[in-house]
């Protein structure tokens, strides 16, 4: 009988330990995939459209026409369906995750005389997410790309305050699919992006042309018209095999790449009618997140929104509290180092203000 008591005691201890472990795990946040993290915080996106040429304001992916050639995206606009996509990437420090989102248009266009057009257009935002112990963290602010200027916006409950740059407005959040999403908006034609409703003239009202895009992990819809109020856009990882970033790395030392003219800049020309009539057409004028630049933000340099978002955040804002500026994950820096790029072997067109060896030194293996 003694052995039975010992066995029951052992079983009881095992159950108690298991229950205790489960209790402890309840307080530990699960680690989300990058896709789930991006989807949780992805913008509900208000795209202003112009009735002169609705389709030129539809968001899509760079290779919507089945190839990675940058010089035929303007030309092929009406020949292929414009399923809705947005690109994302995630970098991580011990205190924050930084998510870039970018929306691609094949044409940056105008119907105004003496204005300028260009092939390809990619503008977006940086989402600053504090790791607060919850699974997905808390969104503290965004910095958006409006042509050659950046604008920052924070939710009403954010601790962030003005840093070297002033906060430009309040970020509105709306519930969708079980989480709060920032509302963003883009102009028609030129596609400058800000928090809603600070750009364009479409805020969802029935009297203006526009599309409201909602994020999805699986579905990329084509708008029914330039006045569609519910279109799903699918999220694409910038680092996906054969995608935007891999093509950049493959063409980083070439001046003849079909996708990129140089570091962070898409190749684009005047074929297909770009600049037809009185507008002019500017070649090689659209930039990627690692090529985005604000023209007057001081010690934040071209491409840092993707390459070094913690530094950009540290400059733009105060009120950051406990804030880490080195990375336990930053695929941009890691891949450049793995490809053998350093301060003595730079990609063609690399910004001179950024020391690549110093950037690589911001990687670490653990907190």
């Amino acid at each position: 009988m003694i052995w039975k008591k010992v066995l029951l005691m052992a079983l009881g201890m095992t159950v108690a330990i298991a229950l205790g472990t489960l209790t402890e795990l309840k307080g530990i946040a699960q680690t989300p995939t990058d896709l789930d993290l991006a989807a949780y915080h992805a913008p509900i996106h208000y795209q202003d459209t112009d009735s002169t040429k609705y389709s030129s304001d539809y968001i899509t992916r760079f290779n919507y026409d089945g190839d990675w050639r940058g010089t035929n995206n303007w030309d092929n606009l009406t020949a292929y369906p414009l399923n809705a996509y947005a690109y994302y990437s995630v970098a991580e420090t011990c205190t924050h995750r930084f998510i870039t989102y970018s929306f691609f248009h094949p044409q940056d266009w105008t119907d105004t005389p003496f204005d300028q057009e260009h092939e390809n257009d990619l503008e977006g935002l940086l989402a600053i997410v504090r790791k607060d112990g919850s699974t997905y963290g808390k969104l503290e602010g965004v910095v958006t790309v409006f042509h050659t200027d950046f604008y920052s916006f924070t939710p009403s409950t954010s601790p962030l305050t003005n840093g070297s740059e002033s906060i430009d407005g309040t970020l509105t959040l709306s519930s969708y699919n079980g989480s709060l999403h920032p509302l963003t908006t883009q102009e028609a034609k030129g596609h400058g992006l800000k928090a809603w409703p600070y750009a364009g003239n479409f805020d969802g009202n029935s009297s203006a042309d526009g599309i409201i895009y909602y994020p999805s992990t699986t579905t990329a819809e084509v708008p029914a018209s330039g006045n569609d109020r519910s279109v799903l856009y699918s999220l694409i990882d910038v680092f996906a095999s054969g995608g935007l970033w891999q093509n950049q790395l493959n063409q980083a030392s070439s001046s003849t790449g079909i996708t990129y003219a140089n570091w962070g800049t898409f190749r684009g020309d005047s074929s297909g009618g770009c600049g037809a009539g009185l507008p002019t057409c500017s070649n090689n004028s659209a930039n990627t997140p690692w090529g985005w630049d604000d023209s007057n933000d001081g010690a934040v340099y071209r491409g840092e929104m993707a390459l070094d978002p913690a530094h950009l955040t540290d400059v733009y804002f105060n009120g950051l509290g406990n804030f880490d500026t080195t990375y336990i994950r930053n695929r941009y820096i890691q891949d450049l180092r793995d490809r053998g790029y350093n301060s003595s072997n730079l990609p063609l067109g690399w910004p001179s203000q950024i020391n690549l060896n110093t950037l690589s030194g911001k990687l670490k293996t653990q907190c």
Side-chain angles (χ1 to χ4, degrees):
M1 297 296 293
I2 294 176
W3 67 270
K4 290 183 178 180
K5 290 182 180 180
V6 171
L7 180 60
L8 288 172
M9 288 175 63
L11 287 171
M13 289 177 64
T14 301
V15 171
I17 291 171
L19 289 173
T21 301
L22 287 172
T23 300
E24 290 177 3
L25 286 174
K26 288 181 180 179
I28 300 175
Q30 298 176 355
T31 301
T33 66
D34 283 352
L35 176 58
D36 287 341
L37 181 70
Y40 187 89
H41 294 288
I44 297 172
H45 193 58
Y46 286 66
Q47 175 64 65
D48 193 4
T49 61
D50 190 282
S51 58
T52 305
K53 192 166 50 170
Y54 277 145
S55 61
S56 290
D57 295 320
Y58 293 179
I59 63 172
T60 190
R61 55 184 174 180
F62 184 90
N63 59 330
Y64 77 96
D65 56 355
D67 64 46
W68 286 95
R69 185 173 297 278
T71 53
N72 64 8
N73 280 333
W74 181 290
D75 317 45
N76 290 336
L77 182 74
T78 60
Y80 295 86
L82 298 173
N83 296 77
Y85 290 92
Y87 294 96
Y88 73 91
S89 66
V90 179
E92 183 176 0
T93 69
C94 293
T95 61
H96 285 76
R97 296 185 179 102
F98 302 92
I99 313 170
T100 62
Y101 298 95
S102 48
F103 298 96
F104 177 77
H105 299 82
Q107 298 182 359
D108 181 305
W109 66 286
T110 183
D111 55 5
T112 303
F114 308 110
D115 204 349
Q116 189 175 77
E117 303 179 321
H118 61 79
E119 186 165 37
N120 303 315
D121 196 19
L122 191 69
E123 303 193 32
L125 65 146
L126 170 69
I128 302 157
V129 179
R130 176 169 289 280
K131 295 159 68 173
D132 64 350
S134 64
T135 299
Y136 297 100
K138 184 175 182 179
L139 180 66
E140 293 188 325
V142 302
V143 181
T144 74
V145 179
F146 191 86
H147 310 305
T148 58
D149 287 297
F150 295 167
Y151 290 83
S152 55
F153 303 89
T154 55
S156 58
T157 58
S158 175
L160 302 187
T161 58
N162 294 335
S164 295
E165 296 289 311
S166 297
I167 294 172
D168 296 291
T170 300
L171 181 66
T172 301
L173 304 176
S174 182
S175 182
Y176 174 71
N177 264 359
S179 64
L180 290 174
H181 295 258
L183 303 189
T184 54
T185 184
Q186 273 185 288
E187 303 172 303
K189 304 177 185 178
H191 308 136
L193 191 150
K194 294 182 180 180
W196 177 93
Y198 299 101
N201 62 6
F202 174 62
D203 62 3
N205 63 81
S206 59
S207 62
D209 297 336
I211 299 168
I212 305 178
Y213 289 102
Y214 293 86
S216 170
T217 59
T218 58
T219 305
E221 296 180 330
V222 178
S225 73
N227 281 295
D228 196 331
R229 299 301 193 260
S230 182
V231 179
L232 294 178
Y233 72 86
S234 184
L235 289 157
I236 303 177
D237 193 340
V238 162
F239 304 125
S241 178
L244 280 183
W245 177 242
Q246 191 170 95
N247 274 282
Q248 172 68 98
L249 289 176
N250 292 342
Q251 299 173 36
S253 297
S254 171
S255 60
T256 59
I258 65 169
T259 306
Y260 296 94
N262 53 46
W263 180 259
T265 299
F266 289 127
R267 189 171 295 283
D269 64 14
S270 58
S271 65
C274 180
L278 292 177
T280 59
C281 185
S282 174
N283 294 341
N284 306 332
S285 294
N287 297 310
T288 64
W290 52 96
W292 287 339
D293 192 21
D294 183 288
S295 58
N296 59 358
D297 62 352
V300 176
Y301 302 115
R302 184 174 186 262
E304 284 196 301
M305 189 177 284
L307 297 170
D308 197 359
H311 176 246
L312 181 148
T313 301
D314 199 23
V315 171
Y316 270 56
F317 299 100
N318 288 325
L320 289 163
N322 181 27
F323 186 75
D324 187 14
T325 58
T326 55
Y327 300 96
I328 53 175
R329 284 198 308 143
N330 187 318
R331 179 80 178 269
Y332 294 107
I333 303 174
Q334 186 68 55
D335 283 356
L336 282 165
R337 190 170 71 177
D338 289 349
R339 289 281 185 120
Y341 289 108
N342 53 54
S343 293
S344 300
N345 178 34
L346 294 170
L348 190 65
W350 180 265
S352 60
Q353 302 93 336
I354 300 178
N355 184 298
L356 187 47
N357 287 353
T358 301
L359 190 63
S360 295
K362 294 186 176 184
L363 290 175
K364 60 187 179 183
T365 56
Q366 60 185 4
C367 294

